[in-house]
Amino acid sequence: FPSHDTLCWGMGFWIPEIAGMSYKEYAWPAAVAFSITFIPYWATSFVVYSKINFGRSYHVALSGPVSASDLAIGDIIWASCKGLISAGIVILFAQFFGFTTGLQLWLSFILLIPACLLFAALGFWAGLLVDRPNRLLFLQGLILGPLCLWSDTLFPFSEFNLFTKWFVYLSPVGQVVTNLRDEQSL
């Protein structure tokens, strides 16, 4: 077993280095990416589905002076804030446990806002379209899960072939992970 000074978490025990950095330095941006993908998505998708089909709170709100776009924008912004709070907590833990030490990461926090808005809007759209709540899992399983796994999060897909490099480059999750790793190295 390693000493306390060399203690690695999770797979870091077996994978001492990946893509030129320690596994813990490589993997923590993936935790941020997962939080800004799944938290905003679930904070809007199931909530919107519930407000439309069970609570009918959208119907009540629309009978007043609030427009449908006001409701949508409010829910998307609130879900994005939840994703940013979650990402902030992950970054705090990464700094607390010594995975990263750069204060520049907090400057890159603003780069997380568009990704949170994107996934919150995607969740809002999914919550509007589904007719049963278990169908919300289809989007998560068929799009969000593979998007997170193939965006240079847990494995260095950007080092493989041209297709994966372009996929990582075009993926909003890949952009977040790449930017966090770049800020970490400053």
Side-chain angles (χ1 to χ4, degrees):
F1 291 102
S3 69
H4 178 68
D5 295 336
T6 60
L7 182 64
C8 298
W9 294 32
M11 294 298 291
F13 183 78
W14 291 279
I15 305 171
E17 186 176 297
I18 187 169
M21 58 185 80
S22 72
Y23 189 77
K24 65 182 182 179
E25 292 171 341
Y26 182 82
W28 79 264
V32 174
F34 280 92
S35 69
I36 65 162
T37 302
F38 290 104
I39 300 295
Y41 172 76
W42 279 107
T44 52
S45 62
F46 188 74
V47 170
V48 167
Y49 177 80
S50 298
K51 285 180 179 180
I52 291 173
N53 295 304
F54 300 132
R56 305 260 186 225
S57 59
Y58 277 167
H59 301 321
V60 172
L62 289 174
S63 66
V66 178
S67 69
S69 62
D70 291 339
L71 288 174
I73 290 169
D75 275 342
I76 289 170
I77 288 175
W78 177 235
S80 298
C81 289
K82 289 179 182 180
L84 289 172
I85 291 168
S86 175
I89 291 170
V90 171
I91 291 173
L92 275 176
F93 273 94
Q95 287 186 330
F96 177 76
F97 288 115
F99 294 0
T100 182
T101 57
L103 291 176
Q104 301 92 339
L105 293 171
W106 292 104
L107 298 175
S108 69
F109 199 73
I110 198 161
L111 298 173
L112 303 178
I113 294 171
C116 284
L117 288 169
L118 171 73
F119 292 114
L122 184 66
F124 191 88
W125 175 74
L128 288 175
L129 293 181
V130 299
D131 58 345
R132 286 184 275 178
N134 62 348
R135 295 210 174 150
L136 295 171
L137 293 171
F138 289 139
L139 184 62
Q140 177 187 341
L142 296 175
I143 295 175
L144 297 182
L147 180 68
C148 280
L149 292 175
W150 280 83
S151 293
D152 210 21
T153 51
L154 301 178
F155 306 102
F157 285 111
S158 61
E159 296 180 6
F160 287 150
N161 61 29
L162 187 61
F163 171 74
T164 56
K165 286 180 185 179
W166 276 102
F167 185 83
V168 170
Y169 178 74
L170 295 175
S171 164
V173 179
Q175 288 295 316
V176 167
V177 170
T178 302
N179 286 322
L180 286 174
R181 286 192 186 126
D182 289 345
E183 291 295 326
Q184 171 180 306
S185 64
L186 292 176

